[in-house]
Amino acid sequence: MGSSRALLLVAVAAAVAGLATANFRDDCDIPWEPQNARFTSDGNGLSMALVSNYSGCMLRTKKQFIYGTVSTLIQLVPGDSAGTVTTYYASSVGDNHDEIDFEFLGNETGKPYTLHTNIYADGVGNKEMQFKPWFDPTTGFHNYTISWSPCMIVWYVDSVPIRVFRNYQASHGVAFPTSRPMYAYSSIWAAEDWATQGGRVKTDWSKAPFVAHYDNIHLDICECGGYGGCATGCPAAAAPCQLSAAELGQMQWVQSNYRIYDYCADPKRSINGQKPVECGLAQY
């Protein structure tokens, strides 16, 4: 048990190495239901509660950015979390928005969470990939990271890449977020109509409040003062354009053993029998 925890701490440290330390209380706002948020005394920790079907909570960074890496530790709602959704994502505002998603879909006690990823570009999503975790995300903190560069977007869990979406906009016309400033968000909210087994399992509100815990947010971002005001040439935009051989091996292991849905393999995502263009292109 001790050695496993030590390995987790090493992985977490690697995941956040080099990122700029931020603070939930100083660097973020709570624009929705602030009464359901609790900060630790130093502001480096946060809990957010889902109290009822209409009363959850949302965190948003004060700064906007185009390109960069956002990372935090999350301990998800334990026990019967069916119908609850905890999120960690980046999104622009306004029409035809861009968005990069981590969503954690709760489940009945003893059944695994679903780690849901998606990307919206120019207002169009439908690029879902889902995983079951290879660990229990409710018994301790795990690191979740979104890395957004001009070349590609990478989703990491405990420094392990689980998915890549490459920029094929110029070469193949695949929409990719490049120009709309984003905020980083996290939230907890109710979605019992779809979140757990397609809505078959409803939320047991006698178990409320449902609480997710956060620790140590890190932001290594190209800050924006507004639309068109982003430092897109900053170092945070200069992430590698390809996974290393070791990272590629890790991602292939996760996708081979823990991926449970891929929009590229879903006939419903095909148009006139053709898969989306990017599904036939390398994603690493």
Side-chain angles (χ1 to χ4, degrees):
M1 184 69 175
S3 60
S4 298
R5 179 166 177 77
L7 289 172
L8 171 60
L9 292 174
V10 169
V12 166
V16 301
L19 301 187
T21 300
N23 181 284
F24 287 110
R25 187 173 53 208
D26 296 338
D27 296 292
C28 303
D29 295 314
I30 308 290
W32 181 49
E33 303 285 46
Q35 73 276 10
N36 294 335
R38 297 287 184 273
F39 296 101
T40 57
S41 59
D42 61 5
N44 292 323
L46 169 72
S47 63
M48 294 197 295
L50 174 63
V51 177
S52 72
N53 196 31
Y54 305 102
S55 184
C57 197
M58 175 186 286
L59 170 95
R60 186 182 73 180
T61 57
K62 294 179 179 179
K63 296 175 180 178
Q64 291 178 294
F65 60 98
I66 288 185
Y67 306 129
T69 299
V70 294
S71 179
T72 195
L73 301 173
I74 306 175
Q75 182 174 354
L76 297 177
V77 176
D80 189 343
S81 57
T84 71
V85 179
T86 305
T87 71
Y88 183 60
Y89 65 104
S91 180
S92 66
V93 296
D95 296 335
N96 300 321
H97 81 296
D98 300 330
E99 184 172 322
I100 306 166
D101 289 339
F102 259 124
E103 293 186 327
F104 309 98
L105 312 184
N107 213 330
E108 298 168 286
T109 301
K111 295 186 178 179
Y113 264 77
T114 295
L115 274 56
H116 176 97
T117 66
N118 198 4
I119 176 173
Y120 287 78
D122 295 337
V124 179
N126 296 329
K127 295 177 173 61
E128 304 95 337
M129 192 176 289
Q130 295 181 339
F131 307 83
K132 61 181 180 180
W134 54 97
F135 51 88
D136 185 344
T138 72
T139 58
F141 286 96
H142 292 267
N143 182 275
Y144 301 93
T145 300
I146 295 171
S147 176
W148 173 32
S149 76
C151 300
M152 62 184 184
I153 296 164
V154 188
W155 292 256
Y156 292 91
V157 177
D158 290 337
S159 80
V160 175
I162 65 170
R163 180 183 181 184
V164 170
F165 189 87
R166 294 194 63 83
N167 184 354
Y168 287 114
Q169 186 166 354
S171 60
H172 292 83
V174 179
F176 188 89
T178 58
S179 61
R180 296 180 180 88
M182 295 194 192
Y183 293 100
Y185 295 84
S186 193
S187 64
I188 184 167
W189 52 287
E192 64 180 5
D193 56 330
W194 65 269
T196 304
Q197 301 177 36
R200 186 183 66 82
V201 182
K202 304 301 182 183
T203 305
D204 181 355
W205 290 108
S206 71
K207 303 293 196 301
F210 302 96
V211 181
H213 298 277
Y214 299 77
D215 197 30
N216 291 331
I217 185 171
H218 290 76
L219 306 172
D220 184 11
I221 56 177
C222 299
E223 296 178 22
C224 299
Y227 283 79
C230 298
T232 54
C234 76
C241 287
Q242 230 171 355
L243 296 181
S244 69
E247 289 176 321
L248 179 58
Q250 289 176 321
M251 185 175 74
Q252 289 173 336
W253 173 77
V254 171
Q255 293 191 359
S256 295
N257 293 282
Y258 297 98
R259 184 171 60 188
I260 57 176
Y261 177 82
D262 180 2
Y263 77 105
C264 286
D266 187 346
K268 296 178 181 178
R269 297 297 190 216
S270 298
I271 300 175
N272 297 324
Q274 299 296 315
K275 294 181 180 180
V277 172
E278 67 273 13
C279 293
L281 304 172
Q283 297 290 348
Y284 54 83

Coordinates of all heavy atoms in Angstrom, one line a residue, residues 185-250:
Y185 N -12.5 25.7 -16.4 CA -13.7 25.5 -15.5 C -13.6 24.2 -14.8 O -12.9 23.2 -15.2 CB -15.0 25.5 -16.3 CG -15.4 26.7 -17.1 CD1 -14.8 27.0 -18.3 CD2 -16.3 27.6 -16.5 CE1 -15.2 28.1 -19.0 CE2 -16.7 28.7 -17.2 CZ -16.2 29.0 -18.5 OH -16.5 30.1 -19.2
S186 N -14.3 24.1 -13.7 CA -14.7 22.8 -13.1 C -16.1 23.0 -12.5 O -16.4 24.1 -12.1 CB -13.7 22.4 -12.0 OG -14.0 21.0 -11.7
S187 N -16.8 21.9 -12.5 CA -18.2 22.0 -12.0 C -18.7 20.7 -11.5 O -18.1 19.6 -11.8 CB -19.1 22.6 -13.0 OG -19.3 21.7 -14.1
I188 N -19.7 20.7 -10.7 CA -20.5 19.5 -10.3 C -22.0 19.8 -10.5 O -22.4 20.9 -10.0 CB -20.1 19.0 -8.9 CG1 -20.8 17.7 -8.6 CG2 -20.4 20.1 -7.9 CD1 -20.3 17.0 -7.4
W189 N -22.7 18.9 -11.2 CA -24.1 19.2 -11.5 C -24.8 17.9 -11.7 O -24.2 16.8 -11.8 CB -24.2 20.2 -12.7 CG -23.5 19.7 -13.9 CD1 -22.1 19.8 -14.1 CD2 -24.0 19.2 -15.2 NE1 -21.8 19.3 -15.4 CE2 -22.9 19.0 -16.0 CE3 -25.3 18.9 -15.6 CZ2 -23.1 18.5 -17.3 CZ3 -25.5 18.5 -16.9 CH2 -24.4 18.2 -17.7
A190 N -26.2 18.0 -11.8 CA -27.0 16.9 -11.9 C -27.4 16.6 -13.4 O -27.8 17.6 -14.1 CB -28.3 17.1 -11.1
A191 N -27.3 15.4 -13.8 CA -27.7 15.0 -15.2 C -28.2 13.6 -15.2 O -27.8 12.7 -16.0 CB -26.4 15.1 -16.1
E192 N -29.2 13.3 -14.3 CA -29.7 12.0 -14.2 C -30.4 11.5 -15.4 O -30.7 10.3 -15.5 CB -30.5 11.8 -12.9 CG -31.8 12.6 -12.9 CD -32.6 12.4 -11.6 OE1 -32.1 11.7 -10.7 OE2 -33.7 13.0 -11.5
D193 N -30.8 12.4 -16.3 CA -31.5 12.0 -17.5 C -30.6 11.3 -18.5 O -31.1 10.6 -19.4 CB -32.2 13.2 -18.2 CG -31.2 14.3 -18.5 OD1 -30.2 14.5 -17.8 OD2 -31.5 15.1 -19.4
W194 N -29.3 11.4 -18.4 CA -28.4 10.8 -19.3 C -27.1 10.3 -18.8 O -26.4 9.4 -19.4 CB -28.0 11.7 -20.5 CG -27.2 12.9 -20.0 CD1 -27.8 14.1 -19.7 CD2 -25.8 13.1 -19.9 NE1 -26.7 15.0 -19.3 CE2 -25.5 14.4 -19.5 CE3 -24.8 12.2 -20.2 CZ2 -24.2 14.9 -19.3 CZ3 -23.5 12.7 -20.0 CH2 -23.2 14.0 -19.5
A195 N -26.6 10.7 -17.6 CA -25.3 10.5 -17.2 C -24.9 9.1 -16.8 O -23.8 8.6 -17.1 CB -24.9 11.4 -16.0
T196 N -25.8 8.4 -16.2 CA -25.5 7.0 -15.7 C -26.3 6.0 -16.5 O -27.5 5.9 -16.4 CB -25.8 6.9 -14.2 OG1 -25.0 7.9 -13.5 CG2 -25.4 5.5 -13.7
Q197 N -25.6 5.2 -17.3 CA -26.2 4.1 -18.1 C -27.3 4.7 -18.9 O -28.4 4.1 -19.0 CB -26.6 3.0 -17.2 CG -25.5 2.4 -16.4 CD -26.0 1.3 -15.4 OE1 -26.9 0.5 -15.7 NE2 -25.3 1.2 -14.3
G198 N -27.0 5.8 -19.6 CA -28.0 6.4 -20.5 C -29.2 7.0 -19.8 O -30.3 7.2 -20.5
G199 N -29.1 7.2 -18.5 CA -30.3 7.8 -17.8 C -31.1 6.7 -17.1 O -32.1 7.0 -16.4
R200 N -30.7 5.4 -17.2 CA -31.5 4.3 -16.6 C -31.4 4.4 -15.1 O -32.4 4.1 -14.4 CB -31.0 3.0 -17.1 CG -31.8 1.8 -16.7 CD -31.2 0.5 -17.1 NE -30.0 0.2 -16.5 CZ -29.9 -0.3 -15.2 NH1 -30.9 -0.6 -14.5 NH2 -28.7 -0.6 -14.7
V201 N -30.3 4.8 -14.6 CA -30.1 4.8 -13.1 C -30.2 6.3 -12.7 O -29.4 7.2 -13.2 CB -28.7 4.3 -12.7 CG1 -28.6 4.3 -11.2 CG2 -28.6 2.8 -13.2
K202 N -31.1 6.6 -11.8 CA -31.4 7.9 -11.4 C -30.6 8.3 -10.1 O -30.0 7.4 -9.4 CB -32.9 8.2 -11.1 CG -33.7 7.8 -12.3 CD -33.4 8.7 -13.5 CE -34.3 8.4 -14.7 NZ -33.9 9.2 -15.9
T203 N -30.5 9.5 -9.8 CA -29.8 10.0 -8.6 C -30.6 9.7 -7.3 O -31.8 9.9 -7.3 CB -29.6 11.5 -8.6 OG1 -28.9 11.8 -9.8 CG2 -28.8 12.0 -7.5
D204 N -29.9 9.2 -6.3 CA -30.5 8.9 -5.0 C -30.2 10.2 -4.2 O -29.2 10.3 -3.6 CB -29.9 7.7 -4.3 CG -30.5 7.4 -3.0 OD1 -31.3 8.2 -2.5 OD2 -30.1 6.4 -2.4
W205 N -31.2 11.1 -4.1 CA -31.0 12.4 -3.5 C -30.9 12.3 -2.0 O -30.5 13.2 -1.3 CB -32.1 13.4 -3.9 CG -31.9 13.8 -5.4 CD1 -32.7 13.4 -6.4 CD2 -30.9 14.6 -5.9 NE1 -32.2 13.9 -7.6 CE2 -31.1 14.7 -7.3 CE3 -29.8 15.3 -5.3 CZ2 -30.2 15.4 -8.1 CZ3 -28.9 16.0 -6.1 CH2 -29.2 16.1 -7.5
S206 N -31.3 11.1 -1.4 CA -31.1 11.0 0.0 C -29.6 10.9 0.4 O -29.2 11.1 1.5 CB -31.8 9.7 0.5 OG -31.1 8.5 0.0
K207 N -28.7 10.7 -0.6 CA -27.3 10.7 -0.4 C -26.7 12.1 -0.5 O -25.5 12.2 -0.3 CB -26.6 9.7 -1.4 CG -27.1 8.3 -1.4 CD -26.8 7.6 -0.2 CE -26.9 6.1 -0.3 NZ -28.2 5.6 -0.6
A208 N -27.4 13.1 -0.9 CA -26.9 14.4 -1.1 C -26.5 15.0 0.3 O -27.0 14.6 1.3 CB -27.9 15.3 -1.7
P209 N -25.5 15.9 0.3 CA -24.8 16.5 -0.8 C -23.7 15.6 -1.4 O -23.1 14.8 -0.6 CB -24.2 17.8 -0.2 CG -23.9 17.4 1.2 CD -25.1 16.5 1.6
F210 N -23.5 15.7 -2.7 CA -22.4 15.0 -3.3 C -21.2 15.9 -3.5 O -21.4 17.0 -4.0 CB -22.9 14.5 -4.7 CG -24.1 13.6 -4.7 CD1 -25.4 14.1 -4.9 CD2 -24.0 12.2 -4.4 CE1 -26.5 13.3 -4.8 CE2 -25.1 11.4 -4.3 CZ -26.4 11.9 -4.5
V211 N -20.1 15.5 -3.0 CA -19.0 16.5 -2.9 C -17.7 16.0 -3.6 O -17.3 14.8 -3.4 CB -18.6 16.7 -1.4 CG1 -17.5 17.7 -1.3 CG2 -19.8 17.2 -0.6
A212 N -17.2 16.8 -4.5 CA -15.9 16.5 -5.1 C -14.8 17.5 -4.5 O -15.1 18.6 -4.2 CB -16.0 16.8 -6.6
H213 N -13.6 17.0 -4.4 CA -12.5 17.7 -3.7 C -11.4 18.0 -4.8 O -11.1 17.1 -5.6 CB -12.0 16.9 -2.6 CG -13.0 16.7 -1.5 ND1 -13.2 17.6 -0.5 CD2 -13.8 15.6 -1.2 CE1 -14.1 17.2 0.3 NE2 -14.5 16.0 -0.1
Y214 N -10.8 19.1 -4.6 CA -9.7 19.6 -5.6 C -8.5 20.0 -4.8 O -8.7 20.5 -3.6 CB -10.2 20.8 -6.4 CG -11.4 20.4 -7.3 CD1 -12.7 20.4 -6.7 CD2 -11.3 20.2 -8.6 CE1 -13.8 20.0 -7.5 CE2 -12.3 19.8 -9.4 CZ -13.6 19.8 -8.9 OH -14.7 19.5 -9.7
D215 N -7.4 19.9 -5.4 CA -6.2 20.4 -4.7 C -5.1 20.8 -5.8 O -5.0 20.2 -6.9 CB -5.5 19.3 -3.9 CG -4.5 19.8 -2.9 OD1 -4.7 20.9 -2.4 OD2 -3.6 19.0 -2.5
N216 N -4.4 21.9 -5.5 CA -3.3 22.4 -6.3 C -3.6 22.5 -7.8 O -3.2 21.7 -8.6 CB -2.1 21.4 -6.1 CG -1.5 21.4 -4.7 OD1 -1.6 22.4 -4.0 ND2 -1.0 20.3 -4.3
I217 N -4.3 23.6 -8.1 CA -4.4 23.9 -9.5 C -3.2 24.6 -10.0 O -2.5 25.3 -9.3 CB -5.6 24.9 -9.7 CG1 -5.9 25.1 -11.2 CG2 -5.5 26.2 -8.9 CD1 -7.2 25.9 -11.5
H218 N -2.8 24.2 -11.2 CA -1.6 24.7 -11.9 C -2.0 25.2 -13.3 O -2.7 24.5 -14.0 CB -0.5 23.7 -12.0 CG 0.1 23.3 -10.7 ND1 -0.5 22.5 -9.8 CD2 1.3 23.6 -10.2 CE1 0.3 22.3 -8.8 NE2 1.4 23.0 -9.0
L219 N -1.5 26.4 -13.6 CA -1.8 27.0 -14.9 C -0.5 27.4 -15.6 O 0.3 28.2 -15.1 CB -2.7 28.3 -14.7 CG -4.0 28.1 -13.9 CD1 -4.6 29.4 -13.7 CD2 -4.9 27.2 -14.7
D220 N -0.2 26.9 -16.8 CA 0.9 27.3 -17.6 C 0.3 27.7 -18.9 O 0.2 26.9 -19.8 CB 1.9 26.2 -17.8 CG 3.1 26.6 -18.5 OD1 3.3 27.8 -18.7 OD2 3.9 25.7 -18.9
I221 N -0.1 29.0 -19.0 CA -1.0 29.4 -20.1 C -0.5 30.7 -20.8 O 0.3 31.4 -20.2 CB -2.4 29.7 -19.6 CG1 -2.4 30.7 -18.4 CG2 -3.1 28.4 -19.1 CD1 -3.8 31.1 -17.9
C222 N -1.0 30.8 -22.0 CA -0.7 32.1 -22.8 C -1.9 33.0 -22.5 O -3.0 32.8 -23.0 CB -0.6 31.8 -24.2 SG 0.7 30.7 -24.7
E223 N -1.7 33.9 -21.5 CA -2.8 34.7 -21.0 C -3.4 35.7 -22.1 O -2.7 36.1 -23.0 CB -2.3 35.6 -19.8 CG -1.9 34.7 -18.6 CD -1.4 35.6 -17.5 OE1 -1.8 36.8 -17.5 OE2 -0.7 35.0 -16.6
C224 N -4.7 36.0 -21.9 CA -5.4 36.9 -22.8 C -5.9 38.1 -22.0 O -6.5 37.9 -20.9 CB -6.5 36.2 -23.5 SG -6.0 34.8 -24.5
G225 N -5.9 39.3 -22.6 CA -6.5 40.4 -22.0 C -7.9 40.6 -22.7 O -8.6 41.5 -22.4
G226 N -8.2 39.7 -23.6 CA -9.5 39.8 -24.4 C -9.3 39.2 -25.7 O -8.2 38.8 -26.1
Y227 N -10.3 39.2 -26.6 CA -10.2 38.6 -27.9 C -9.1 39.4 -28.7 O -9.0 40.6 -28.7 CB -11.5 38.7 -28.6 CG -12.5 37.7 -28.2 CD1 -13.2 37.9 -27.0 CD2 -12.7 36.6 -28.9 CE1 -14.1 37.0 -26.5 CE2 -13.6 35.6 -28.5 CZ -14.3 35.8 -27.3 OH -15.2 34.9 -26.8
G228 N -8.2 38.6 -29.3 CA -7.1 39.1 -30.1 C -5.9 39.6 -29.2 O -4.9 40.0 -29.8
G229 N -6.0 39.5 -27.9 CA -5.0 40.0 -27.0 C -4.1 38.9 -26.4 O -3.5 39.2 -25.4
C230 N -4.1 37.7 -27.0 CA -3.4 36.6 -26.4 C -1.9 36.6 -26.8 O -1.6 36.8 -28.0 CB -4.1 35.3 -26.7 SG -5.7 35.2 -26.1
A231 N -1.1 36.2 -25.9 CA 0.4 36.0 -26.3 C 0.6 34.7 -26.9 O 1.2 33.8 -26.2 CB 1.2 36.3 -25.0
T232 N 0.1 34.5 -28.1 CA 0.2 33.1 -28.7 C 1.6 32.7 -29.0 O 1.9 31.5 -29.3 CB -0.6 33.1 -30.0 OG1 -0.2 34.1 -30.9 CG2 -2.1 33.3 -29.7
G233 N 2.6 33.6 -28.9 CA 4.0 33.2 -29.1 C 4.7 32.8 -27.8 O 5.9 32.6 -27.8
C234 N 3.9 32.8 -26.7 CA 4.6 32.5 -25.4 C 5.0 31.1 -25.3 O 4.6 30.2 -26.0 CB 3.6 32.9 -24.3 SG 2.3 31.6 -24.0
P235 N 5.9 30.8 -24.3 CA 6.5 29.5 -24.2 C 5.4 28.4 -24.0 O 5.6 27.2 -24.4 CB 7.4 29.6 -23.0 CG 7.8 31.0 -22.9 CD 6.6 31.8 -23.4
A236 N 4.3 28.7 -23.3 CA 3.3 27.7 -23.1 C 2.7 27.2 -24.3 O 2.1 26.1 -24.3 CB 2.2 28.3 -22.2
A237 N 2.8 27.9 -25.5 CA 2.3 27.4 -26.7 C 3.3 26.5 -27.5 O 2.9 25.9 -28.5 CB 2.0 28.6 -27.6
A238 N 4.5 26.3 -26.9 CA 5.5 25.6 -27.6 C 5.6 24.2 -27.2 O 6.8 23.6 -27.1 CB 6.8 26.3 -27.5
A239 N 4.5 23.5 -26.9 CA 4.6 22.1 -26.4 C 5.0 21.3 -27.6 O 4.8 21.6 -28.8 CB 3.2 21.7 -26.0
P240 N 5.6 20.1 -27.3 CA 6.0 19.2 -28.4 C 4.8 18.8 -29.3 O 3.7 18.8 -28.9 CB 6.5 17.9 -27.7 CG 6.9 18.4 -26.3 CD 5.9 19.5 -26.0
C241 N 5.1 18.6 -30.6 CA 4.1 18.3 -31.6 C 3.8 16.8 -31.7 O 3.1 16.4 -32.6 CB 4.4 18.9 -32.9 SG 4.2 20.7 -33.0
Q242 N 4.4 16.0 -30.9 CA 4.2 14.6 -31.0 C 4.5 14.0 -29.6 O 5.3 14.5 -28.8 CB 5.2 13.9 -32.0 CG 4.4 13.0 -33.0 CD 5.3 12.6 -34.1 OE1 6.5 13.0 -34.3 NE2 4.8 11.7 -34.9
L243 N 3.8 12.9 -29.3 CA 4.1 12.2 -28.1 C 5.4 11.5 -28.2 O 5.9 11.1 -29.3 CB 3.0 11.1 -27.8 CG 1.6 11.6 -27.5 CD1 0.7 10.4 -27.2 CD2 1.5 12.6 -26.4
S244 N 6.1 11.3 -27.1 CA 7.3 10.5 -27.1 C 7.0 9.0 -27.3 O 5.8 8.6 -27.2 CB 8.1 10.6 -25.8 OG 7.4 10.0 -24.7
A245 N 7.9 8.2 -27.6 CA 7.7 6.8 -27.8 C 7.1 6.2 -26.5 O 6.2 5.3 -26.6 CB 8.9 6.0 -28.2
A246 N 7.6 6.6 -25.4 CA 7.1 6.1 -24.1 C 5.6 6.5 -23.9 O 4.8 5.7 -23.5 CB 8.0 6.5 -23.0
E247 N 5.3 7.8 -24.2 CA 4.0 8.2 -24.0 C 3.0 7.6 -25.0 O 1.9 7.2 -24.6 CB 3.9 9.8 -24.2 CG 4.6 10.6 -23.1 CD 4.6 12.0 -23.5 OE1 4.8 12.4 -24.6 OE2 4.3 12.9 -22.6
L248 N 3.5 7.4 -26.2 CA 2.6 6.6 -27.2 C 2.3 5.2 -26.7 O 1.1 4.8 -26.8 CB 3.3 6.6 -28.5 CG 2.6 5.9 -29.6 CD1 1.2 6.5 -29.9 CD2 3.4 5.9 -30.9
G249 N 3.3 4.6 -26.1 CA 3.0 3.2 -25.6 C 2.0 3.3 -24.4 O 1.2 2.4 -24.3
Q250 N 2.1 4.3 -23.6 CA 1.2 4.4 -22.5 C -0.2 4.6 -23.0 O -1.2 4.0 -22.5 CB 1.6 5.6 -21.6 CG 2.8 5.4 -20.7 CD 3.2 6.6 -20.0 OE1 3.1 7.7 -20.5 NE2 3.7 6.4 -18.7

